[in-house]
Amino acid sequence: MNHIVSMKWLLARLYEPDLVIVDCRFTLGQPDQGRTAYDETHIPRAVYLDLEKDLSSPAAQHGGRHPLPDMEQLASAFGKAGIHQEARVVIYDDQGGMMASRLWWMLKYTGHEQAYVMDEGFTAWKKASYPVTDETPVVIPVTYEPSLQPAMLASMEDVRAASKDGSHILIDSRDPRRYAGIEEPLDVKAGHIPGAVNYFWKGVQDASGHWKDAQALQEHFSGISKDAQVIVYCGSGVSACPNVLALKEAGYTNVKLYAGSWSDWISYEENPISTGEE
């Protein structure tokens, strides 16, 4: 697999100097919980990056619940975490890879080549009796030079056009009940973007919480042509990222993230909403 590494892989390389390990644990609705969990215990050498403080801007009228951060601020956060362009970055969380995939996507979007998500998560690491610590590592700050990849990002206008003309396949990564508009625990309007198909992000993993291999992911996405132009969204641009990563693993090359996602789409009164199945 190109973007996923096993816990054993990380264990074997834990102290290699070019490796930066990032803990991304975060619980939506309980913004301090991830940092508290990190302070209590984490993988040795891991630094902590926070979904809302480091990997998002504050929410505004538009842009969704987790807008992309200012790129200068993001580069500063990466530099403070010891991430430079030659580093190999391994990211983990305890949320099924949702938060880790968001950071993976942001590294890729800023031109970073060697970014990986650790399979499973911190609880599995602990259960395997692998080493943990409560010591915060001493990090020597570096300069991170972003090289933005605009082809990875879809704007609301791109999504609006795709919804009308079918030029891109729109993938909604949320739970099927949210997609269908049956329930909506987080946003003020329920439903989905007209024309979008539903691939719940948790479908890219098996029952035991391992990421599926490339072949299984190809089967999972077999309803979508490999040549298709794909735009992926979710509620706020976080749980869409595991689907983006999985599509890349499955060999799809033209995949964009709509970072504002549903929470941005519904902030424009004129945008249409669909409910039920497509």
Side-chain angles (χ1 to χ4, degrees):
M1 300 186 78
N2 297 319
H3 307 292
I4 306 289
V5 296
S6 68
M7 295 192 306
K8 276 186 178 166
W9 186 96
L10 179 58
L11 182 67
R13 293 162 180 80
L14 206 50
Y15 295 99
E16 291 182 3
D18 69 325
L19 199 69
V20 177
I21 304 164
V22 185
D23 185 318
C24 266
R25 284 177 285 170
F26 189 90
T27 305
L28 292 169
Q30 295 172 283
D32 298 325
Q33 199 170 329
R35 178 80 213 197
T36 302
Y38 169 82
D39 288 340
E40 283 169 7
T41 181
H42 50 263
I43 295 176
R45 293 185 64 212
V47 294
Y48 184 76
L49 286 175
D50 185 287
L51 172 69
E52 292 184 347
K53 290 178 182 145
D54 301 311
L55 308 181
S56 310
S57 289
Q61 183 186 355
H62 300 301
R65 279 182 283 110
H66 293 109
L68 291 184
D70 172 82
M71 287 299 134
E72 277 184 30
Q73 284 175 308
L74 183 65
S76 169
F78 284 171
K80 282 179 191 158
I83 300 171
H84 53 84
Q85 285 290 14
E86 279 68 57
R88 286 179 298 166
V89 184
V90 176
I91 315 150
Y92 70 91
D93 60 26
D94 231 355
Q95 285 73 39
M98 179 178 24
M99 308 300 162
S101 297
R102 164 84 167 204
L103 176 54
W104 168 87
W105 184 89
M106 292 172 84
L107 284 161
K108 293 287 183 186
Y109 176 63
T110 55
H112 193 84
E113 292 292 321
Q114 299 189 80
Y116 309 95
V117 171
M118 185 185 85
D119 196 15
E120 301 177 270
F122 184 70
T123 296
W125 177 277
K126 267 207 314 194
K127 274 189 184 157
S129 298
Y130 290 175
V132 295
T133 184
D134 61 358
E135 289 177 22
T136 305
V138 175
V139 178
I140 299 163
V142 293
T143 301
Y144 185 82
E145 301 278 356
S147 171
L148 294 189
Q149 308 294 309
M152 289 179 60
L153 189 63
S155 68
M156 196 277 293
E157 287 75 18
D158 295 334
V159 176
R160 199 181 265 166
S163 175
K164 280 181 184 159
D165 64 20
S167 56
H168 292 67
I169 289 176
L170 289 171
I171 290 180
D172 185 314
S173 307
R174 296 171 302 159
D175 178 286
R177 291 176 65 81
R178 289 181 71 195
Y179 166 82
I182 297 165
E183 61 184 44
E184 182 45 68
L186 295 165
D187 292 306
V188 293
K189 294 178 187 174
H192 60 265
I193 298 170
V197 291
N198 187 212
Y199 282 86
F200 185 30
W201 73 273
K202 287 188 176 174
V204 303
Q205 294 168 358
D206 64 21
S208 62
H210 288 275
W211 288 76
K212 293 176 179 174
D213 64 22
Q215 190 176 351
L217 289 170
Q218 284 166 10
E219 286 168 24
H220 177 65
F221 292 116
S222 60
I224 300 170
S225 163
K226 278 279 178 72
D227 304 325
Q229 300 188 84
V230 181
I231 296 174
V232 188
Y233 76 92
C234 56
S236 68
V238 180
S239 65
C241 294
N243 264 343
V244 174
L245 191 157
L247 284 158
K248 291 284 187 186
E249 284 286 344
Y252 292 80
T253 52
N254 199 329
V255 183
K256 292 176 170 19
L257 172 71
Y258 173 28
S261 286
W262 179 248
S263 52
D264 177 57
W265 180 261
I266 59 173
S267 71
Y268 296 89
E269 281 297 321
E270 66 274 22
N271 280 346
I273 289 171
S274 288
T275 53
E277 297 298 314
E278 286 283 344

